[in-house]
Amino acid sequence: MPPTLFVILATPFWKLAHFLFAYNWHAATAVFCGGVFGYTCYDMTHYFLHHRTLPSYYRELKKYHLQHHFADYENGFGVTSRFWDRVFGTELAPPKAAKAA
């Protein structure tokens, strides 16, 4: 994401963090920075799932993610983990095995 776009999109979250944690500037800044760090980790994982040769765990995660994109876009939102899909009941069923001819 270009820096200018980041600043434009991040400003409302900065203001929200400082509104919710108005009693402590340091806490508000820590919450904001934690959000930015979390988003950066998510975005990097999403990029690598689409563009890099991956170890086996990540290949399975990539298959899961692509199943979300192309088989069932209403479920399977976990990009970095299936954890929250299990919690919220949005986990995708394993893909059906192709029949041998």
XYZ file of all heavy atoms in Angstrom:
841
model
N 0.850 -1.167 0.000
C 0.000 0.000 0.000
C 0.898 1.231 0.000
O 1.817 1.315 0.804
C -0.899 -0.030 1.240
C -1.757 1.188 1.402
S -2.827 1.244 2.863
C -3.551 -0.341 2.951
N 0.643 2.164 -0.874
C 1.440 3.397 -0.898
C 1.301 4.162 0.423
O 0.223 4.157 1.033
C 0.830 4.201 -2.045
C 0.056 3.217 -2.857
C -0.354 2.122 -1.929
N 2.373 4.818 0.883
C 2.324 5.538 2.165
C 1.193 6.563 2.262
O 0.556 6.686 3.309
C 3.699 6.221 2.241
C 4.575 5.377 1.384
C 3.704 4.851 0.280
N 0.929 7.279 1.188
C -0.137 8.291 1.231
C -1.490 7.633 1.483
O -2.279 8.111 2.314
C -0.184 9.083 -0.095
O 1.107 9.632 -0.336
C -1.212 10.188 -0.029
N -1.761 6.530 0.808
C -3.019 5.818 1.014
C -3.093 5.270 2.434
O -4.148 5.329 3.077
C -3.160 4.692 -0.006
C -4.444 3.876 0.066
C -5.673 4.762 -0.122
C -4.419 2.775 -0.984
N -1.971 4.765 2.956
C -1.953 4.263 4.330
C -2.347 5.367 5.308
O -3.165 5.143 6.207
C -0.578 3.709 4.696
C -0.461 3.399 6.162
C -1.024 2.247 6.674
C 0.170 4.276 7.018
C -0.947 1.968 8.034
C 0.252 4.009 8.369
C -0.307 2.853 8.881
N -1.766 6.544 5.153
C -2.071 7.651 6.065
C -3.550 8.012 5.995
O -4.203 8.206 7.025
C -1.181 8.879 5.760
C -1.654 10.115 6.518
C 0.274 8.566 6.097
N -4.090 8.064 4.798
C -5.507 8.402 4.631
C -6.392 7.350 5.303
O -7.354 7.685 6.011
C -5.862 8.552 3.135
C -5.181 9.794 2.566
C -7.366 8.615 2.927
C -5.214 9.876 1.044
N -6.081 6.072 5.096
C -6.902 5.009 5.662
C -6.657 4.810 7.159
O -7.562 4.381 7.885
C -6.648 3.700 4.914
C -7.079 3.690 3.445
C -6.672 2.388 2.781
C -8.579 3.915 3.320
N -5.465 5.088 7.632
C -5.135 4.853 9.041
C -5.624 5.973 9.960
O -5.867 5.739 11.144
C -3.628 4.679 9.199
N -5.779 7.172 9.434
C -6.160 8.316 10.266
C -7.443 8.085 11.056
O -7.479 8.364 12.267
C -6.239 9.597 9.416
O -4.947 9.839 8.856
C -6.678 10.787 10.241
N -8.525 7.575 10.442
C -9.726 7.336 11.257
C -9.490 6.329 12.396
O -10.071 6.478 13.478
C -10.743 6.775 10.256
C -10.254 7.188 8.922
C -8.774 7.295 9.033
N -8.631 5.323 12.174
C -8.344 4.345 13.223
C -7.503 4.960 14.345
O -7.667 4.630 15.509
C -7.671 3.107 12.640
C -8.600 2.317 11.770
C -8.519 2.398 10.392
C -9.591 1.527 12.329
C -9.394 1.700 9.582
C -10.477 0.822 11.533
C -10.383 0.905 10.157
N -6.597 5.870 13.971
C -5.821 6.611 14.970
C -6.773 7.420 15.848
O -6.703 7.377 17.067
C -4.817 7.527 14.268
C -4.086 8.457 15.185
C -4.407 9.744 15.464
C -2.903 8.170 15.926
N -3.501 10.275 16.351
C -2.570 9.333 16.642
C -2.100 7.040 16.048
C -1.468 9.394 17.479
C -1.001 7.111 16.882
C -0.684 8.274 17.592
N -7.690 8.120 15.202
C -8.658 8.940 15.951
C -9.566 8.063 16.813
O -9.867 8.423 17.956
C -9.466 9.803 15.003
C -8.632 10.897 14.340
C -9.483 11.772 13.442
C -8.653 12.829 12.772
N -8.241 13.898 13.661
N -9.994 6.925 16.293
C -10.838 6.019 17.066
C -10.101 5.497 18.293
O -10.663 5.476 19.401
C -11.311 4.848 16.197
C -12.158 3.791 16.914
C -13.473 4.400 17.390
C -12.403 2.603 15.995
N -8.869 5.077 18.124
C -8.080 4.572 19.257
C -7.935 5.643 20.325
O -8.075 5.381 21.520
C -6.706 4.091 18.782
N -7.687 6.888 19.902
C -7.507 7.976 20.868
C -8.828 8.439 21.459
O -8.846 8.990 22.559
C -6.722 9.119 20.227
C -5.270 8.789 20.127
N -4.368 9.036 21.128
C -4.562 8.164 19.151
C -3.174 8.604 20.784
N -3.270 8.061 19.573
N -9.929 8.195 20.784
C -11.241 8.480 21.367
C -11.573 7.440 22.437
O -12.002 7.771 23.535
C -12.312 8.485 20.270
C -13.708 8.608 20.809
C -14.180 9.832 21.271
C -14.539 7.492 20.868
C -15.460 9.941 21.780
C -15.821 7.600 21.380
C -16.289 8.827 21.840
N -11.366 6.157 22.101
C -11.697 5.086 23.038
C -10.767 5.046 24.248
O -11.171 4.635 25.333
C -11.658 3.738 22.311
C -12.714 3.537 21.224
C -12.483 2.219 20.495
C -14.118 3.583 21.816
N -9.523 5.445 24.052
C -8.535 5.425 25.132
C -8.065 6.842 25.445
O -6.881 7.079 25.676
C -7.346 4.526 24.759
C -7.724 3.091 24.624
C -8.149 2.584 23.405
C -7.678 2.246 25.720
C -8.517 1.257 23.272
C -8.043 0.915 25.608
C -8.472 0.413 24.379
N -9.006 7.781 25.494
C -8.680 9.199 25.705
C -7.966 9.433 27.037
O -7.205 10.395 27.163
C -9.950 10.042 25.631
N -8.181 8.554 27.997
C -7.571 8.719 29.320
C -6.073 8.439 29.314
O -5.376 8.805 30.263
C -8.263 7.804 30.333
C -8.139 6.336 30.013
C -7.070 5.586 30.486
C -9.095 5.702 29.222
C -6.944 4.242 30.173
C -8.978 4.355 28.918
C -7.908 3.636 29.390
O -7.801 2.298 29.079
N -5.545 7.789 28.259
C -4.129 7.430 28.260
C -3.591 7.430 26.829
O -3.858 6.507 26.063
C -3.954 6.056 28.916
C -2.497 5.685 29.127
O -1.626 6.069 28.363
N -2.242 4.919 30.178
N -2.793 8.438 26.490
C -2.237 8.569 25.143
C -1.394 7.346 24.782
O -1.444 6.854 23.663
C -1.392 9.837 25.055
C -0.901 10.116 23.678
C -1.538 10.849 22.713
C 0.338 9.674 23.092
N -0.784 10.880 21.562
C 0.376 10.166 21.771
C 1.393 8.911 23.551
C 1.448 9.937 20.912
C 2.460 8.678 22.695
C 2.471 9.182 21.394
N -0.623 6.843 25.741
C 0.259 5.702 25.474
C -0.543 4.440 25.165
O -0.184 3.670 24.265
C 1.204 5.458 26.653
C 2.156 6.590 26.879
N 3.201 6.874 26.037
C 2.199 7.534 27.850
C 3.854 7.929 26.474
N 3.260 8.362 27.582
N -1.631 4.224 25.896
C -2.473 3.057 25.628
C -3.100 3.163 24.246
O -3.144 2.188 23.490
C -3.564 2.930 26.700
N -3.585 4.348 23.894
C -4.204 4.550 22.581
C -3.190 4.308 21.464
O -3.506 3.659 20.460
C -4.778 5.965 22.484
N -1.992 4.809 21.646
C -0.954 4.612 20.641
C -0.568 3.136 20.545
O -0.365 2.609 19.444
C 0.274 5.482 20.961
O -0.151 6.856 21.002
C 1.360 5.334 19.933
N -0.492 2.451 21.677
C -0.167 1.023 21.667
C -1.252 0.221 20.951
O -0.949 -0.692 20.175
C 0.016 0.519 23.098
N -2.516 0.554 21.189
C -3.622 -0.138 20.519
C -3.542 0.096 19.014
O -3.677 -0.837 18.218
C -4.981 0.334 21.090
C -6.135 -0.079 20.200
C -5.163 -0.206 22.498
N -3.319 1.323 18.608
C -3.205 1.647 17.191
C -2.033 0.892 16.557
O -2.182 0.269 15.503
C -3.038 3.152 16.982
C -2.793 3.526 15.555
C -3.841 3.579 14.658
C -1.514 3.812 15.101
C -3.632 3.909 13.325
C -1.287 4.143 13.773
C -2.353 4.195 12.886
N -0.872 0.930 17.200
C 0.314 0.248 16.657
C 0.097 -1.263 16.599
O 0.536 -1.917 15.645
C 1.551 0.582 17.487
S 2.074 2.297 17.285
N -0.575 -1.823 17.599
C -0.895 -3.246 17.571
C -1.781 -3.589 16.388
O -1.598 -4.612 15.729
N -2.738 -2.725 16.096
C -3.603 -2.936 14.933
C -2.824 -2.875 13.630
O -3.037 -3.690 12.729
N -1.936 -1.914 13.517
C -1.114 -1.783 12.311
C -0.217 -3.014 12.162
O -0.088 -3.574 11.070
C -0.276 -0.483 12.338
C 0.767 -0.471 11.231
C -1.182 0.732 12.220
N 0.386 -3.458 13.256
C 1.239 -4.644 13.209
C 0.431 -5.874 12.799
O 0.858 -6.659 11.945
C 1.906 -4.878 14.563
C 2.744 -6.123 14.595
C 3.974 -6.158 13.950
C 2.303 -7.255 15.255
C 4.750 -7.311 13.969
C 3.062 -8.412 15.272
C 4.292 -8.439 14.630
N -0.739 -6.049 13.385
C -1.592 -7.186 13.040
C -1.997 -7.163 11.581
O -1.967 -8.194 10.897
N -2.366 -5.995 11.083
C -2.747 -5.888 9.677
C -1.551 -6.181 8.773
O -1.688 -6.843 7.752
C -3.326 -4.513 9.350
C -3.612 -4.401 7.871
C -4.726 -5.035 7.325
C -2.734 -3.745 7.021
C -4.974 -4.997 5.970
C -2.973 -3.702 5.659
C -4.099 -4.327 5.140
O -4.324 -4.302 3.792
N -0.373 -5.702 9.148
C 0.826 -5.950 8.351
C 1.123 -7.450 8.279
O 1.430 -7.980 7.207
C 2.032 -5.188 8.939
O 1.728 -3.788 8.943
C 3.289 -5.428 8.145
N 1.003 -8.145 9.412
C 1.217 -9.607 9.412
C 0.189 -10.292 8.522
O 0.534 -11.184 7.739
C 1.133 -10.151 10.830
S 2.526 -9.669 11.848
N -1.062 -9.896 8.634
C -2.122 -10.464 7.797
C -1.816 -10.227 6.321
O -1.887 -11.137 5.499
C -3.472 -9.846 8.161
C -4.469 -9.938 7.040
C -5.188 -11.105 6.814
C -4.662 -8.866 6.173
C -6.081 -11.199 5.758
C -5.545 -8.948 5.120
C -6.260 -10.122 4.915
O -7.125 -10.211 3.873
N -1.457 -9.000 5.975
C -1.243 -8.641 4.573
C -0.040 -9.385 3.993
O -0.087 -9.859 2.852
C -1.053 -7.132 4.453
C -1.310 -6.635 3.044
O -2.239 -7.153 2.388
O -0.587 -5.717 2.611
N 1.030 -9.518 4.773
C 2.204 -10.246 4.294
C 1.872 -11.717 4.084
O 2.285 -12.321 3.089
C 3.363 -10.087 5.280
C 3.956 -8.700 5.266
S 5.182 -8.415 6.552
C 6.311 -9.748 6.296
N 1.112 -12.314 5.008
C 0.713 -13.713 4.857
C -0.144 -13.884 3.616
O 0.056 -14.815 2.833
C -0.052 -14.189 6.109
O 0.789 -14.030 7.250
C -0.471 -15.644 5.974
N -1.085 -12.985 3.421
C -1.967 -13.041 2.250
C -1.142 -12.948 0.963
O -1.358 -13.704 0.014
C -2.984 -11.915 2.332
C -4.111 -12.051 1.369
N -4.484 -11.031 0.539
C -4.955 -13.071 1.095
C -5.506 -11.424 -0.205
N -5.810 -12.660 0.115
N -0.177 -12.045 0.922
C 0.681 -11.893 -0.260
C 1.451 -13.193 -0.530
O 1.468 -13.690 -1.653
C 1.659 -10.736 -0.060
C 2.654 -10.647 -1.191
C 2.333 -9.980 -2.366
C 3.904 -11.250 -1.089
C 3.228 -9.918 -3.421
C 4.811 -11.194 -2.135
C 4.471 -10.523 -3.297
O 5.363 -10.474 -4.327
N 2.100 -13.741 0.499
C 2.905 -14.946 0.308
C 2.052 -16.149 -0.075
O 2.490 -17.000 -0.834
C 3.756 -15.245 1.540
C 4.968 -14.358 1.613
C 5.042 -13.341 2.541
C 6.020 -14.535 0.732
C 6.153 -12.515 2.591
C 7.135 -13.712 0.773
C 7.193 -12.695 1.712
N 0.821 -16.229 0.441
C -0.053 -17.332 0.047
C -0.335 -17.302 -1.446
O -0.534 -18.333 -2.071
C -1.371 -17.281 0.818
C -1.315 -17.727 2.263
C -2.675 -17.540 2.917
C -0.864 -19.160 2.393
N -0.363 -16.120 -2.031
C -0.670 -15.994 -3.451
C 0.561 -16.037 -4.358
O 0.446 -16.393 -5.525
C -1.419 -14.684 -3.711
C -2.860 -14.734 -3.340
N -3.805 -15.387 -4.091
C -3.519 -14.222 -2.278
C -4.984 -15.267 -3.523
N -4.847 -14.572 -2.418
N 1.742 -15.670 -3.840
C 2.864 -15.407 -4.739
C 4.161 -16.169 -4.471
O 5.140 -15.927 -5.165
C 3.183 -13.906 -4.724
C 2.041 -13.058 -5.149
N 1.618 -12.966 -6.454
C 1.200 -12.276 -4.427
C 0.586 -12.151 -6.524
N 0.308 -11.721 -5.310
N 4.222 -17.046 -3.509
C 5.488 -17.706 -3.189
C 5.333 -19.220 -3.107
O 4.261 -19.739 -2.850
C 6.029 -17.198 -1.850
C 6.387 -15.734 -1.857
C 7.671 -15.526 -2.630
N 8.014 -14.117 -2.641
C 8.291 -13.442 -3.728
N 8.272 -14.029 -4.896
N 8.613 -12.190 -3.674
N 6.469 -19.931 -3.284
C 6.522 -21.367 -3.041
C 6.556 -21.532 -1.525
O 7.359 -20.899 -0.847
C 7.788 -21.974 -3.671
O 7.771 -21.680 -5.063
C 7.840 -23.459 -3.452
N 5.696 -22.404 -1.010
C 5.475 -22.442 0.426
C 5.764 -23.807 1.041
O 5.630 -24.836 0.377
C 4.005 -22.105 0.698
C 3.523 -20.780 0.132
C 2.015 -20.725 0.145
C 4.105 -19.635 0.930
N 6.104 -23.836 2.343
C 6.188 -25.107 3.068
C 4.798 -25.762 3.128
O 3.782 -25.109 2.901
C 6.651 -24.704 4.474
C 7.200 -23.326 4.329
C 6.500 -22.705 3.159
N 4.741 -27.036 3.488
C 3.486 -27.797 3.404
C 2.339 -27.182 4.211
O 1.205 -27.142 3.729
C 3.717 -29.242 3.830
O 4.130 -29.294 5.176
N 2.583 -26.707 5.428
C 1.511 -26.102 6.229
C 0.872 -24.941 5.468
O -0.347 -24.805 5.405
C 2.035 -25.621 7.586
C 1.028 -24.773 8.332
C -0.036 -25.366 8.996
C 1.127 -23.380 8.346
C -0.976 -24.597 9.668
C 0.196 -22.608 9.007
C -0.854 -23.220 9.674
O -1.782 -22.442 10.331
N 1.712 -24.103 4.891
C 1.206 -22.937 4.174
C 0.555 -23.309 2.843
O -0.358 -22.632 2.390
C 2.321 -21.910 3.975
C 2.715 -21.268 5.283
C 3.878 -21.653 5.928
C 1.903 -20.321 5.883
C 4.226 -21.083 7.143
C 2.246 -19.746 7.087
C 3.410 -20.124 7.716
O 3.752 -19.571 8.919
N 1.022 -24.403 2.217
C 0.343 -24.866 0.993
C -1.087 -25.277 1.311
O -2.015 -24.971 0.561
C 1.115 -26.025 0.359
C 2.313 -25.575 -0.446
C 2.836 -26.670 -1.363
N 3.163 -27.899 -0.676
C 4.353 -28.193 -0.151
N 5.344 -27.336 -0.247
N 4.552 -29.340 0.454
N -1.285 -25.964 2.448
C -2.638 -26.341 2.866
C -3.473 -25.107 3.175
O -4.640 -25.030 2.832
C -2.589 -27.280 4.080
C -2.029 -28.639 3.763
C -2.816 -29.345 2.659
O -4.060 -29.353 2.709
O -2.174 -29.893 1.734
N -2.861 -24.128 3.833
C -3.566 -22.879 4.132
C -3.929 -22.153 2.843
O -5.022 -21.587 2.710
C -2.683 -21.996 5.024
C -3.363 -20.868 5.775
C -4.527 -21.358 6.620
C -2.340 -20.160 6.648
N -3.039 -22.204 1.852
C -3.322 -21.576 0.555
C -4.496 -22.279 -0.131
O -5.384 -21.613 -0.660
C -2.087 -21.624 -0.346
C -2.325 -20.981 -1.695
C -1.065 -20.977 -2.538
C -1.311 -20.302 -3.866
N -0.101 -20.137 -4.648
N -4.512 -23.616 -0.100
C -5.636 -24.348 -0.692
C -6.943 -23.938 -0.014
O -7.963 -23.739 -0.673
C -5.430 -25.856 -0.561
C -4.382 -26.415 -1.477
C -4.252 -27.916 -1.234
C -3.012 -28.471 -1.895
N -2.780 -29.874 -1.530
N -6.898 -23.828 1.297
C -8.074 -23.419 2.070
C -8.520 -22.022 1.655
O -9.701 -21.758 1.428
C -7.726 -23.470 3.556
C -8.879 -23.158 4.475
C -9.866 -24.106 4.708
C -8.955 -21.939 5.130
C -10.914 -23.837 5.570
C -9.995 -21.660 5.990
C -10.983 -22.616 6.212
O -12.015 -22.329 7.056
N -7.559 -21.122 1.533
C -7.861 -19.738 1.164
C -8.443 -19.659 -0.256
O -9.412 -18.938 -0.502
C -6.594 -18.893 1.281
C -6.808 -17.454 0.932
N -7.607 -16.625 1.667
C -6.333 -16.715 -0.090
C -7.615 -15.422 1.117
N -6.848 -15.447 0.053
N -7.868 -20.401 -1.178
C -8.381 -20.391 -2.545
C -9.757 -21.044 -2.629
O -10.592 -20.642 -3.453
C -7.389 -21.066 -3.488
C -6.083 -20.290 -3.682
C -5.116 -21.089 -4.537
C -6.325 -18.927 -4.278
N -10.013 -22.011 -1.760
C -11.348 -22.606 -1.694
C -12.356 -21.527 -1.286
O -13.464 -21.468 -1.805
C -11.347 -23.761 -0.693
C -12.635 -24.545 -0.642
C -12.576 -25.662 0.401
O -11.549 -25.903 1.040
N -13.690 -26.328 0.582
N -11.953 -20.641 -0.382
C -12.813 -19.512 0.007
C -13.096 -18.619 -1.205
O -14.216 -18.206 -1.440
C -12.154 -18.696 1.127
C -12.636 -17.279 1.224
N -13.864 -16.948 1.750
C -12.059 -16.128 0.851
C -14.010 -15.625 1.701
N -12.925 -15.107 1.159
N -12.057 -18.316 -1.993
C -12.225 -17.423 -3.150
C -13.088 -18.041 -4.243
O -13.888 -17.346 -4.856
C -10.858 -17.082 -3.763
C -10.157 -15.951 -3.078
N -10.608 -14.658 -3.101
C -9.011 -15.934 -2.356
C -9.788 -13.881 -2.429
N -8.807 -14.634 -1.958
N -12.907 -19.334 -4.510
C -13.510 -19.912 -5.707
C -14.617 -20.930 -5.467
O -15.341 -21.265 -6.397
C -12.418 -20.538 -6.577
C -11.406 -19.523 -7.020
C -10.139 -19.515 -6.475
C -11.749 -18.555 -7.954
C -9.205 -18.558 -6.878
C -10.823 -17.604 -8.357
C -9.556 -17.605 -7.815
N -14.758 -21.460 -4.246
C -15.782 -22.474 -4.012
C -16.893 -21.969 -3.089
O -18.062 -22.245 -3.328
C -15.149 -23.729 -3.427
N -16.532 -21.231 -2.045
C -17.530 -20.779 -1.067
C -17.064 -19.465 -0.450
O -16.426 -19.453 0.597
C -17.722 -21.842 0.017
C -18.807 -21.478 1.013
O -19.398 -20.390 0.898
O -19.061 -22.288 1.922
N -17.388 -18.373 -1.103
C -16.917 -17.067 -0.641
C -17.642 -16.585 0.616
O -17.268 -15.580 1.201
C -17.042 -16.021 -1.754
C -18.471 -15.788 -2.193
C -19.262 -14.842 -1.566
C -19.026 -16.527 -3.228
C -20.577 -14.648 -1.959
C -20.326 -16.338 -3.633
C -21.104 -15.392 -2.985
O -22.393 -15.201 -3.372
N -18.679 -17.289 1.057
C -19.424 -16.880 2.247
C -18.877 -17.528 3.524
O -19.379 -17.269 4.610
C -20.904 -17.205 2.080
C -21.553 -16.373 0.986
C -23.032 -16.654 0.823
O -23.511 -17.671 1.354
O -23.695 -15.858 0.151
N -17.882 -18.368 3.401
C -17.246 -19.028 4.546
C -15.745 -19.070 4.315
O -15.256 -18.740 3.252
C -17.788 -20.459 4.707
C -19.220 -20.464 5.182
O -19.516 -19.949 6.243
N -20.103 -21.034 4.382
N -15.022 -19.493 5.348
C -13.577 -19.674 5.201
C -12.812 -18.369 5.103
O -12.039 -18.172 4.183
N -12.985 -17.482 6.083
C -12.339 -16.169 6.024
C -10.919 -16.176 6.571
O -10.192 -15.207 6.408
C -13.183 -15.138 6.775
C -14.558 -15.009 6.197
C -15.638 -15.644 6.790
C -14.759 -14.304 5.030
C -16.906 -15.540 6.243
C -16.028 -14.200 4.475
C -17.098 -14.823 5.083
N -10.520 -17.247 7.237
C -9.189 -17.312 7.836
C -8.100 -17.369 6.778
O -8.046 -18.312 6.010
N -7.247 -16.369 6.759
C -6.131 -16.340 5.814
C -4.868 -16.819 6.519
O -4.088 -17.567 5.957
C -5.925 -14.916 5.252
C -4.656 -14.817 4.440
C -7.121 -14.514 4.418
N -4.682 -16.417 7.755
C -3.478 -16.786 8.489
C -3.698 -18.009 9.370
O -2.746 -18.618 9.828
C -3.001 -15.617 9.366
O -4.080 -15.237 10.230
C -2.591 -14.444 8.523
N -4.949 -18.381 9.614
C -5.276 -19.507 10.477
C -6.751 -19.863 10.290
O -7.551 -19.020 9.905
C -5.021 -19.107 11.934
O -5.607 -20.016 12.819
N -7.094 -21.112 10.604
C -8.502 -21.527 10.566
C -9.190 -21.298 11.909
O -10.371 -21.556 12.062
C -8.598 -23.011 10.229
C -8.123 -23.341 8.851
C -8.281 -24.812 8.608
N -7.720 -25.150 7.310
C -7.981 -26.272 6.676
N -8.777 -27.157 7.206
N -7.436 -26.510 5.514
N -8.448 -20.825 12.891
C -8.938 -20.707 14.265
C -10.280 -19.987 14.360
O -11.241 -20.502 14.927
C -7.894 -20.014 15.157
C -8.379 -19.767 16.554
C -8.398 -20.818 17.468
C -8.821 -18.526 16.948
C -8.857 -20.611 18.762
C -9.285 -18.315 18.234
C -9.290 -19.359 19.148
N -10.359 -18.768 13.812
C -11.599 -17.990 13.949
C -12.723 -18.577 13.124
O -13.898 -18.415 13.458
C -11.355 -16.521 13.617
C -10.516 -15.871 14.662
C -9.228 -15.443 14.537
C -10.886 -15.645 16.025
N -8.782 -14.949 15.732
C -9.777 -15.068 16.666
C -12.031 -15.885 16.773
C -9.788 -14.709 18.011
C -12.045 -15.524 18.120
C -10.931 -14.944 18.722
N -12.401 -19.270 12.048
C -13.451 -19.961 11.293
C -14.086 -21.048 12.162
O -15.298 -21.261 12.109
C -12.897 -20.568 10.003
C -12.681 -19.518 8.928
O -13.420 -18.514 8.928
O -11.789 -19.708 8.100
N -13.281 -21.720 12.955
C -13.833 -22.729 13.875
C -14.685 -22.060 14.947
O -15.770 -22.535 15.268
C -12.710 -23.531 14.513
C -12.028 -24.449 13.531
C -10.950 -25.297 14.192
N -10.274 -26.087 13.179
C -8.970 -26.083 12.991
N -8.187 -25.339 13.742
N -8.437 -26.831 12.036
N -14.197 -20.961 15.502
C -14.918 -20.245 16.560
C -16.280 -19.754 16.058
O -17.296 -19.911 16.740
C -14.076 -19.058 17.091
C -14.897 -18.171 18.006
C -12.831 -19.568 17.807
N -16.315 -19.164 14.856
C -17.547 -18.560 14.344
C -18.371 -19.493 13.456
O -19.392 -19.095 12.910
C -17.224 -17.272 13.582
C -16.721 -16.176 14.474
C -15.422 -15.709 14.358
C -17.537 -15.627 15.445
C -14.954 -14.711 15.177
C -17.073 -14.625 16.283
C -15.779 -14.164 16.152
N -17.922 -20.733 13.312
C -18.682 -21.698 12.521
C -18.655 -21.428 11.030
O -19.589 -21.789 10.312
N -17.575 -20.816 10.541
C -17.464 -20.525 9.109
C -16.377 -21.363 8.435
O -15.956 -21.053 7.322
C -17.170 -19.025 8.871
O -15.969 -18.665 9.560
C -18.324 -18.164 9.337
N -15.938 -22.413 9.108
C -14.887 -23.261 8.541
C -15.403 -24.000 7.313
O -16.530 -24.487 7.286
C -14.392 -24.264 9.582
C -13.183 -25.041 9.120
C -12.576 -25.883 10.239
O -13.271 -26.186 11.217
O -11.405 -26.231 10.109
N -14.592 -24.056 6.296
C -14.943 -24.741 5.058
C -14.804 -26.251 5.221
O -13.899 -26.726 5.900
C -14.030 -24.284 3.919
C -14.166 -22.827 3.506
C -13.008 -22.416 2.619
C -15.484 -22.613 2.784
N -15.698 -26.987 4.584
C -15.579 -28.447 4.558
C -14.391 -28.824 3.684
O -14.056 -28.093 2.739
C -16.862 -29.056 3.997
N -13.739 -29.946 3.971
C -12.628 -30.367 3.102
C -13.113 -30.548 1.675
O -14.254 -30.961 1.448
C -12.204 -31.710 3.693
C -12.770 -31.747 5.069
C -13.983 -30.871 5.065
N -12.274 -30.196 0.688
C -12.706 -30.357 -0.700
C -12.941 -31.824 -1.032
O -12.287 -32.709 -0.491
C -11.551 -29.779 -1.510
C -10.397 -29.712 -0.589
C -10.941 -29.691 0.806
N -13.906 -32.058 -1.914
C -14.210 -33.421 -2.324
C -13.083 -33.954 -3.217
O -12.573 -33.249 -4.074
C -15.525 -33.451 -3.075
C -16.695 -33.051 -2.206
C -17.966 -32.964 -3.008
C -19.061 -32.451 -2.081
N -20.198 -31.950 -2.790
N -12.716 -35.208 -2.980
C -11.651 -35.826 -3.773
C -12.154 -36.087 -5.186
O -13.316 -36.452 -5.395
C -11.210 -37.131 -3.129
N -11.294 -35.870 -6.148
C -11.659 -36.116 -7.547
C -11.762 -37.629 -7.769
O -10.980 -38.407 -7.233
C -10.617 -35.514 -8.470
N -12.737 -38.038 -8.563
C -12.920 -39.465 -8.857
C -11.897 -39.931 -9.881
O -11.613 -39.222 -10.853
C -14.320 -39.713 -9.394
C -15.396 -39.469 -8.376
C -16.752 -39.774 -8.951
C -17.828 -39.487 -7.932
N -19.161 -39.782 -8.456
N -11.343 -41.108 -9.653
C -10.378 -41.683 -10.596
C -11.138 -42.244 -11.806
O -12.202 -42.826 -11.674
C -9.569 -42.773 -9.931
N -10.566 -42.082 -12.977
C -11.231 -42.560 -14.196
C -10.979 -44.008 -14.442
O -10.058 -44.617 -14.065
C -10.775 -41.740 -15.386
